[in-house]
Amino acid sequence: MKSYLDLLKILPKSNCKECGLDSCLLFALKVFSKEISPRACPYLPLESLPKDLLTPNLSFNQLLENLKYLKEKFKALDLRELAKNLGAFYDKDTHTLSFFYLDTEILIPLEEEGHPVDLKDLKGKELDPRDEILLCNYFLFKGRSPLTGNFVGLEAFPHSISKVKTLKIYAEDPLSKILSQPNIDKKLLFKEFKITQFKEEQGNLSITIFALPKVPLMINFWAGDLEDQLLPSCKILYDASAINYLDLECLVFLAERLTEKL
């Protein structure tokens, strides 16, 4: 690709704003200037892009700049109206919003109009900028549909082909290595997380973790068979409604973040 116009040709040009920007044109410009990752667009066929565009060259300052833009949109929301849809608890007495994120309790102080002041964990600790981006997006999506209880692979979502491989490399394969360690207490490993289903049999495991109040992840681990030379493997599934709570990039990062926590 010689310019951002070449990239614009393969973008949907719907200006859906799911990447956090106002238009596909602005997105194309920022991708070419290395200010945003092309993976931020859930509808872009990444397999058609040259490697130099896919290389994550975002500096920490650029990451913060993207976060600054998201936070401006996030702070314009009335979180009191969104709390129920997103599984958060609004405390009228303290005028705060609280919810869990992986193994952490998040507390958001609100202004009188319901706008968030900032994102912090329950102990007042600053969050990783990557976590802030994900959490801002979670609220900006506004919880557009109820959970289905039907779990599917990432490949079931539209335009996910390139991200399936990313999920495998950065979440499923590392999780498989963790869970295949000898003598590991799998239940103890997940004790800090919100678990709704845990089944373990002959080293195999199926567990459902609520990474966010409305975004459960189902982890299916197969221990393999040494006699048949079959290696351990892991598959991460999402509720079929997950794409209504986060974009594909954030869904993949959520699984990566869970792996990092473990």
Side-chain angles (χ1 to χ4, degrees):
M1 291 184 177
K2 295 180 180 180
S3 76
Y4 69 92
L5 293 174
D6 295 319
L7 176 59
L8 186 61
K9 290 176 183 177
I10 62 173
L11 286 168
K13 292 183 280 295
S14 60
N15 300 328
C16 67
K17 303 180 183 179
E18 290 186 38
C19 64
L21 300 174
D22 287 332
S23 69
C24 291
L25 174 60
L26 181 58
F27 175 78
L29 284 166
K30 286 189 173 290
V31 167
F32 260 80
S33 63
K34 296 291 186 180
E35 294 180 48
I36 192 171
S37 167
R39 294 181 173 86
C41 173
Y43 309 112
L44 180 60
L46 298 181
E47 63 275 7
S48 64
L49 299 182
K51 289 184 178 180
D52 63 317
L53 278 185
L54 289 171
T55 305
N57 288 337
L58 289 180
S59 69
F60 186 71
N61 286 337
Q62 288 168 334
L63 179 66
L64 291 178
E65 187 61 33
N66 291 342
L67 177 57
K68 181 181 177 182
Y69 175 83
L70 274 178
K71 271 192 169 181
E72 288 175 0
K73 296 174 67 176
F74 170 64
K75 289 185 175 182
L77 298 173
D78 183 345
L79 297 194
R80 297 171 300 182
E81 297 178 355
L82 300 176
K84 184 176 180 181
N85 282 352
L86 293 170
F89 173 71
Y90 170 56
D91 190 323
K92 294 181 180 179
D93 295 330
T94 61
H95 212 46
T96 57
L97 201 76
S98 60
F99 62 100
F100 60 84
Y101 167 50
L102 295 171
D103 59 348
T104 304
E105 291 286 339
I106 304 295
L107 184 69
I108 306 177
L110 303 181
E111 297 175 348
E112 288 299 319
E113 300 81 7
H115 303 312
V117 176
D118 209 350
L119 276 165
K120 294 182 181 292
D121 72 13
L122 203 58
K123 298 177 182 178
K125 183 181 177 182
E126 295 287 340
L127 297 175
D128 185 303
R130 299 172 300 164
D131 295 323
E132 290 190 89
I133 288 172
L134 184 143
L135 294 176
C136 284
N137 275 316
Y138 181 61
F139 281 93
L140 288 166
F141 266 61
K142 300 181 180 179
R144 296 177 290 188
S145 69
L147 297 178
T148 66
N150 177 35
F151 285 88
V152 298
L154 191 69
E155 63 276 4
F157 300 123
H159 313 290
S160 61
I161 294 174
S162 61
K163 294 176 176 62
V164 169
K165 185 176 181 181
T166 302
L167 179 68
K168 177 175 171 55
I169 293 172
Y170 294 104
E172 291 175 336
D173 287 350
L175 266 177
S176 182
K177 289 180 181 178
I178 293 170
L179 295 172
S180 60
Q181 294 177 48
N183 303 318
I184 189 170
D185 186 332
K186 296 182 179 68
K187 197 157 192 176
L188 184 63
L189 183 67
F190 292 99
K191 68 182 180 67
E192 300 297 331
F193 298 89
K194 304 290 183 181
I195 299 172
T196 58
Q197 181 258 141
F198 185 97
K199 294 180 181 178
E200 185 177 9
E201 185 177 355
Q202 295 181 341
N204 302 323
L205 175 69
S206 180
I207 180 172
T208 302
I209 299 169
F210 273 78
L212 282 163
K214 295 288 184 174
V215 188
L217 303 179
M218 179 182 283
I219 299 171
N220 289 327
F221 169 73
W222 184 56
D225 191 322
L226 292 177
E227 289 185 6
D228 293 335
Q229 296 183 330
L230 296 174
L231 297 175
S233 63
C234 185
K235 179 71 174 176
I236 296 175
L237 304 177
Y238 298 86
D239 188 274
S241 69
I243 202 66
N244 295 317
Y245 288 91
L246 287 171
D247 58 41
L248 287 170
E249 186 76 12
C250 284
L251 288 176
V252 172
F253 173 71
L254 190 60
E256 290 179 34
R257 201 71 172 107
L258 171 63
T259 305
E260 287 180 13
K261 294 277 187 176
L262 295 174

